[in-house]
Amino acid sequence: MNALRAQAMQEYTNFTGVSDKPLVNVVPQQGYSHYTAHDSHYNMAGEKITVEKDGEKASVKRIQENDRTYNLRIVNLDTINDQEVELFNAFTNLNEPNQGNNPDHINITSKGWDYRTILQSSTVNNFVIGSCRIMVGDTNQLTEDFTLTEKLEGGGIKQTPVDIASEINPEYNTDKVVDLKRLDWLIHGHSGIKFKLLKGQYINLIMKVKLRGNIANTLQGIPVVEAATSTFRK
């Protein structure tokens, strides 16, 4: 059983993008329908979820409600120049001034959790962002793509652009809010998010975590993989 948990976590840590192949199947319980790891939220209630892989079953611990959302506000105090912003990439940025961003102009605040605490936690607890709401003060900010970065074992950097403007929903009453859904953004100590923040502007990011690898759980004999859950019924 421990081998199964380790295997499941290994697949999550290796998962870096959208795939049509499910990672782990959720076993139906108590009349709930069948979901896979690619759904934004698992559909099981309770503290633990049973998962099945290659005929074996193991438990996955639920991510607590207050630990499923990262709410960041990033402000460019420079009214003359645009500024480059990098979030996460903890092994590089954790101990840098202003966590790798311009200390004179970029201000990062976080609701609920201090941003540096989030950064430090990501060095040992990988997590997958399942969705992200983006709110801006100037619609021009939405023309600036995000770039997902990941340091590779050979020392190179993998960069994946995310076109924000293409996700604007014309049914919204505002063009200053974008919802990115069904994401699989894996964040660990060597991965991050880069973008340009326009002069004098701000951006709010509400990121929902759907999977987390809590390495500390192994010391307590509980599942390493944690998942978000919901109570969606058939």
Side-chain angles (χ1 to χ4, degrees):
M1 191 65 72
N2 289 334
L4 172 61
R5 291 171 185 163
Q7 182 181 17
M9 190 60 231
Q10 183 64 35
E11 293 207 23
Y12 290 142
T13 57
N14 288 341
F15 183 56
T16 57
V18 177
S19 170
D20 60 359
K21 187 169 72 172
L23 302 178
V24 175
N25 291 325
V26 178
V27 177
Q29 294 178 356
Q30 302 174 349
Y32 288 83
S33 58
H34 179 82
Y35 268 39
T36 68
H38 284 287
D39 293 292
S40 296
H41 297 280
Y42 282 88
N43 63 325
M44 304 297 173
E47 287 300 314
K48 292 184 178 180
I49 308 161
T50 300
V51 298
E52 184 177 65
K53 183 172 180 60
D54 299 330
E56 293 186 73
K57 294 181 180 180
S59 292
V60 173
K61 192 174 186 296
R62 184 177 69 169
I63 301 176
Q64 294 300 312
E65 196 76 46
N66 63 353
D67 201 24
R68 297 182 194 176
T69 303
Y70 293 140
N71 191 332
L72 303 181
R73 180 179 177 87
I74 305 99
V75 180
N76 182 4
L77 303 175
D78 189 343
T79 58
I80 299 175
N81 299 303
D82 302 338
Q83 294 286 331
E84 295 294 330
V85 173
E86 182 172 32
L87 301 177
F88 307 115
N89 195 14
F91 286 133
T92 298
N93 294 326
L94 179 61
N95 295 316
E96 290 296 313
N98 202 27
Q99 282 70 64
N101 294 287
N102 190 322
D104 296 323
H105 298 301
I106 295 300
N107 179 253
I108 302 175
T109 55
S110 174
K111 183 178 179 180
W113 295 95
D114 177 72
Y115 174 62
R116 193 177 189 281
T117 299
I118 297 172
L119 203 62
Q120 188 170 31
S121 175
S122 71
T123 63
V124 293
N125 297 331
N126 303 338
F127 61 91
V128 177
I129 297 172
S131 64
C132 179
R133 169 164 286 191
I134 301 172
M135 297 177 286
V136 298
D138 184 341
T139 55
N140 289 323
Q141 180 63 49
L142 297 178
T143 65
E144 300 296 330
D145 293 351
F146 281 8
T147 300
L148 307 181
T149 66
E150 181 179 17
K151 184 177 180 180
L152 304 176
E153 289 186 5
I157 302 294
K158 177 182 177 181
Q159 300 190 70
T160 306
V162 179
D163 182 359
I164 305 300
S166 66
E167 299 297 327
I168 294 176
N169 189 338
E171 296 181 358
Y172 281 8
N173 293 325
T174 175
D175 56 358
K176 297 181 179 180
V177 177
V178 172
D179 282 329
L180 304 180
K181 301 179 180 180
R182 299 188 66 80
L183 305 178
D184 285 295
W185 292 356
L186 175 62
I187 302 297
H188 52 75
H190 287 301
S191 67
I193 303 172
K194 286 185 175 182
F195 58 91
K196 180 189 294 183
L197 187 53
L198 301 182
K199 58 185 180 181
Q201 292 303 312
Y202 72 85
I203 185 169
N204 289 353
L205 304 177
I206 303 176
M207 296 176 286
K208 297 288 187 179
V209 175
K210 72 173 183 178
L211 294 172
R212 183 192 312 281
N214 194 337
I215 306 304
N217 285 357
T218 58
L219 301 177
Q220 305 174 50
I222 55 180
V224 172
V225 180
E226 298 178 346
T229 64
S230 68
T231 54
F232 176 80
R233 291 182 179 274
K234 291 181 182 180

